[in-house]
Amino acid sequence: MSAAVDEAAAALAYATLNDPTQPPPPFAPERHAAYLKRVAADAGALEYALTEYMRVSGVYWGLTAMRLLGRDAAAELGGPALVELARGCQNADGGFGGARGHDSHVLYTLSALQVLALLGALDRCDRAAAAAYVAALQQPDGSFCGDRWGEVDTRFSYCALCCASLLGRLDALDVPRAVAYVRRCENFDGGFGCVPGGESHAGQVFTCVGALAIAGAVDACQRDLLSWWLCERQTPGGGLNGRPQKE
């Protein structure tokens, strides 16, 4: 088949999928599962090499997707090997990198702990060291750095609280101060930004509300105002944007 024919077929498929007069295609769970298994096994692909820096997060996404599809994720994706992959990402500082030999970061620490939790293997890592690593990232104002280089973002507050919750060590964090910092990131429109005064964004709303929920403080947000802000994220086409003025 020529490239021109491939492009024409792709253009037709795109037009059909975006035609509101056409019914959506049927959900194909078997094809989704087959795709996940294929990309998990294709270690020789260029994409596999280029995404090494976030390998453990990819494993978490794959496991979660398979579980949502009602599949035996551990059996179909090789659970024991994935446990060893996640364990191998833990560094001497207690945190986890995106792959073996990569620097620790709270994002990948959460992904690794989630992988181990999904596979019933949280006891296979150094839990005390992981909790200490996360606790050390908390700053005096209650925020969390993502790693030793010092970037602060409310995503990291969510990751830190989620890590501590999975480890059963919320007591290792100053939770009231973490809640106070997240609340300072709330804006006049009810949304949340990545830092105090930052633009409201749906991604940050998820992490901030999630952080507050884990901390038992979800009532601290402006529920009604935030709900309206979220409803306004739906576009005329039915999709959702992350912030105002975006399609």
Side-chain angles (χ1 to χ4, degrees), residues 230-243:
L230 289 169
C231 289
E232 289 171 350
R233 301 284 62 75
Q234 188 161 30
T235 66
L240 299 165
N241 60 28
R243 59 178 185 259

Side-chain angles (χ1 to χ4, degrees):
M1 184 178 292
S2 70
V5 173
D6 283 341
E7 291 180 6
L12 178 60
Y14 181 84
T16 301
L17 288 172
N18 288 276
D19 184 350
T21 66
Q22 298 295 318
F27 184 60
E30 293 298 325
R31 295 184 67 183
H32 284 290
Y35 168 78
L36 290 166
K37 292 167 67 175
R38 177 176 61 79
V39 297
D42 194 5
L46 175 62
E47 292 82 1
Y48 190 90
L50 294 176
T51 55
E52 180 187 69
Y53 71 95
M54 60 176 180
R55 178 75 67 238
V56 74
S57 291
V59 171
Y60 167 67
W61 300 327
L63 284 171
T64 303
M66 290 292 274
R67 291 283 290 270
L68 290 172
L69 290 168
R71 312 285 293 220
D72 186 340
E76 295 193 62
L77 295 181
L82 297 181
V83 168
E84 293 308 309
L85 184 154
R87 290 183 64 232
C89 295
Q90 189 166 26
N91 295 313
D93 61 8
F96 293 76
R100 186 184 294 270
H102 288 233
D103 289 347
S104 297
H105 195 287
V106 73
L107 288 171
Y108 303 123
T109 298
L110 176 56
S111 290
L113 294 175
Q114 288 170 321
V115 167
L116 293 172
L118 283 168
L119 296 172
L122 263 178
D123 60 339
R124 299 285 304 282
C125 73
D126 189 336
R127 297 174 61 150
Y133 169 77
V134 172
L137 295 173
Q138 189 167 23
Q139 304 303 297
D141 65 355
S143 65
F144 288 84
C145 294
D147 57 17
R148 64 192 179 95
W149 301 110
E151 180 188 7
V152 169
D153 190 305
T154 45
R155 292 176 300 155
F156 307 152
S157 295
Y158 168 75
C159 290
L161 285 161
C162 198
C163 285
S165 180
L166 285 171
L167 293 167
R169 289 300 314 278
L170 280 172
D171 63 295
L173 309 181
D174 188 334
V175 175
R177 190 166 292 182
V179 168
Y181 178 77
V182 170
R183 293 191 65 188
R184 287 201 296 277
C185 296
E186 188 177 36
N187 292 317
F188 71 93
D189 55 12
F192 291 83
C194 59
V195 294
E199 178 187 14
S200 294
H201 192 283
Q204 305 302 144
V205 167
F206 173 82
T207 57
C208 289
V209 173
L212 293 174
I214 294 169
V218 73
D219 287 335
C221 69
Q222 303 177 75
R223 284 175 177 259
D224 290 344
L225 186 58
L226 176 56
S227 295
W228 274 112
W229 188 89
L230 289 169
C231 289
E232 289 171 350
R233 301 284 62 75
Q234 188 161 30
T235 66
L240 299 165
N241 60 28
R243 59 178 185 259
Q245 307 303 318
K246 289 197 72 176
E247 291 299 325

